[in-house]
Amino acid sequence: MSVDLGMPNARPRPLAERRKSRQIMVGNVPVGGDAPVSVQSMTTTLTSDINSTLQQIAELTASGCQIVRVAVPSADDAEALPIIAKKSQIPVIADIHFQPKYVFAAIDAGCAAVRVNPGNIRKFDDKVGEIAKAASAAGVPIRIGVNAGSLDKRLLEKYGRATPEALVESALWECSLFEEHGFRDIKISVKHNDPVVMINSYRQLAQQCDYPLHLGVTEAGPAFQGTIKSSVAFGALLAEGIGDTIRVSLSAPPAEEIKVGNQILESLGLRERGLEIVSCPSCGRAQVDVYTLAEEVTAGLEGMDVPLRVAVMGCVVNGPGEAREADLGVASGNGKGQIFVKGEVIKTVPESQIVETLIEEAMRIAEGMKDDGVESGEPSVSIAG
Ligand code: SF4
């Protein structure tokens, strides 16, 4: 008698139909509509420290992050945005605090989107018309990110505390200001640290608008607690078809957030991994033309249909560490390529042999995956960026 261990031959059916939301583009990543739920994170470096920020973005990119947010609380941070936006391989969202003028700086810098928290930007409502005009001209969407901890004082007085109704009213009020100017390129978040309040907030919001929703539990806590809170809250909402992009907040390195986010989506059958080529954004340390190498590796692995993540990193200093969540990768420098598997260097080869060595190793890992019964997703080769 054969026992069914529940190993599916095909993807399980989704738990619920996705809520129908309008689609926006965050750089080259569609959010909302029928786009797959995307995973994002936020850097913890000082944004003004360009190299450290780009290095952390490289680490996030290699671990499967699709969109990255950087904080912009000062003029120095705003000045760093053009280089970061240009060099990042994944779309960069500028998270604006305090000063409306940084919104314009972020749009001018080429950021893929801007996040505003109306509760902590001075006289934000007065500036909405100008912001809508600039964002619309540049094709830059705005995330209206309401947080329980910085709720508009008027609503705090009206509701007494950050209830779901207060969070939703705050978000929809801001949307209405943008709508008055014909601007609807918006996504919304209504974050709370209590998953129950958060779930109820997003449920209400989902019924009252068709904007794409960014899910997040704010101040979720250290890795263990934050993982549980986010999994429970996102799981409840995503199982109802609510949520278009997610950010797990952990008091842990940002790449950990991506690991958890990807796992949540995979657990719910919302994410199929195929072959993924990710490359670092390159920085002052790069000793190789990362973009050309990434293109060659992509061409060499074309047609491979296993859920393998391959990282192409520009230097041997940080490359392996930044790509430790990748299955396989190369870090190049001094005319050589260090080939690594799961962040550990397994051999060093001359630069001319990097592509063929990666292909050999990819085949070997793919065979191992097939022996272990790992299923492949739709073949999809993509270079982040
Ligand atoms: S060149 Fe090296 S340090 Fe710079 S982003 Fe790439 S891997 Fe990171």
Side-chain angles (χ1 to χ4, degrees):
M1 189 179 88
S2 72
V3 178
D4 180 2
L5 295 174
M7 294 293 282
N9 291 322
R11 283 183 75 199
R13 284 172 50 189
L15 288 159
E17 286 293 309
R18 283 275 296 285
R19 162 181 168 263
K20 289 197 177 10
S21 57
R22 54 194 304 140
Q23 190 170 85
I24 62 167
M25 290 299 294
V26 177
N28 59 358
V29 178
V31 175
D34 57 1
V37 178
S38 50
V39 177
Q40 54 179 287
S41 182
M42 188 166 184
T43 52
T44 53
T45 52
L46 276 178
T47 303
S48 56
D49 182 348
I50 295 174
N51 249 2
S52 299
T53 303
L54 282 172
Q55 282 179 31
Q56 199 169 62
I57 292 176
E59 184 181 342
L60 284 166
T61 306
S63 59
C65 181
Q66 294 165 290
I67 297 170
V68 66
R69 187 154 47 104
V70 299
V72 187
S74 75
D76 287 348
D77 299 316
E79 277 169 25
L81 290 176
I83 298 179
I84 292 170
K86 184 162 181 270
K87 289 206 156 189
S88 172
Q89 294 291 96
I90 52 177
V92 174
I93 300 181
D95 195 311
I96 307 300
H97 298 262
F98 314 133
Q99 302 259 15
K101 65 182 178 190
Y102 301 150
V103 176
F104 301 105
I107 292 171
D108 289 345
C111 290
V114 175
R115 183 266 171 133
V116 292
N117 175 354
N120 80 3
I121 299 185
R122 232 168 281 146
K123 294 195 175 148
F124 179 76
D125 291 0
D126 300 346
K127 293 281 179 190
V128 166
E130 272 179 76
I131 292 172
K133 199 171 160 198
S136 181
V140 169
I142 302 281
R143 166 152 78 93
I144 293 175
V146 174
N147 265 8
S150 51
L151 188 63
D152 192 317
K153 284 197 187 63
R154 289 167 300 179
L155 292 161
L156 216 42
E157 277 164 22
K158 179 174 169 186
Y159 289 96
R161 63 200 157 86
T163 61
E165 290 75 16
L167 295 170
V168 170
E169 187 174 326
S170 173
L172 293 181
W173 161 256
E174 296 303 333
C175 288
S176 74
L177 297 182
F178 278 95
E179 286 160 5
E180 276 174 26
H181 299 277
F183 189 86
R184 290 189 170 74
D185 215 1
I186 294 171
K187 66 183 167 128
I188 308 179
S189 62
V190 279
K191 297 190 182 181
H192 197 288
N193 61 20
D194 181 334
V196 175
V197 180
M198 179 272 194
I199 291 168
N200 283 328
S201 304
Y202 278 97
R203 279 182 177 155
Q204 291 185 19
L205 189 58
Q207 285 187 341
Q208 294 179 46
C209 70
D210 70 349
Y211 290 117
L213 302 183
H214 162 123
L215 303 187
V217 177
T218 190
E219 292 129 26
F224 179 73
Q225 181 185 309
T227 299
I228 302 282
K229 275 188 172 185
S230 299
S231 305
V232 168
F234 295 4
L237 290 164
L238 291 166
E240 294 170 18
I242 298 171
D244 301 288
T245 181
I246 62 172
R247 189 258 169 129
V248 175
S249 297
L250 300 178
S251 303
E256 291 298 307
E257 300 183 347
I258 297 303
K259 207 156 93 181
V260 174
N262 283 333
Q263 200 60 54
I264 291 172
L265 295 183
E266 283 173 31
S267 302
L268 288 167
L270 290 170
R271 156 93 25 124
E272 269 184 304
R273 278 187 57 199
L275 176 65
E276 215 181 327
I277 310 283
V278 291
S279 53
C280 83
S282 189
C283 72
R285 289 206 170 95
Q287 294 181 354
V288 72
D289 180 349
V290 181
Y291 304 138
T292 304
L293 189 57
E295 271 172 25
E296 285 174 9
V297 173
T298 303
L301 293 177
E302 201 183 339
M304 189 167 256
D305 66 351
V306 288
L308 191 71
R309 183 175 296 137
V310 182
V312 178
M313 311 304 278
C315 75
V316 292
V317 185
N318 293 330
E322 287 178 359
R324 66 180 180 275
E325 300 304 333
D327 300 297
L328 170 67
V330 62
S332 307
N334 286 335
K336 295 180 190 139
Q338 284 184 339
I339 307 295
F340 53 88
V341 174
K342 292 280 178 200
E344 300 293 332
V345 176
I346 57 156
K347 64 172 92 162
T348 301
V349 298
E351 201 170 309
S352 59
Q353 289 173 24
I354 288 174
V355 178
E356 64 180 80
T357 310
L358 279 178
I359 293 168
E360 274 169 30
E361 287 300 323
M363 303 277 240
R364 196 179 56 73
I365 296 171
E367 282 305 311
M369 284 176 160
K370 281 182 178 156
D371 290 347
D372 290 345
V374 175
E375 294 206 12
S376 60
E378 289 296 306
S380 78
V381 180
S382 64
I383 299 182

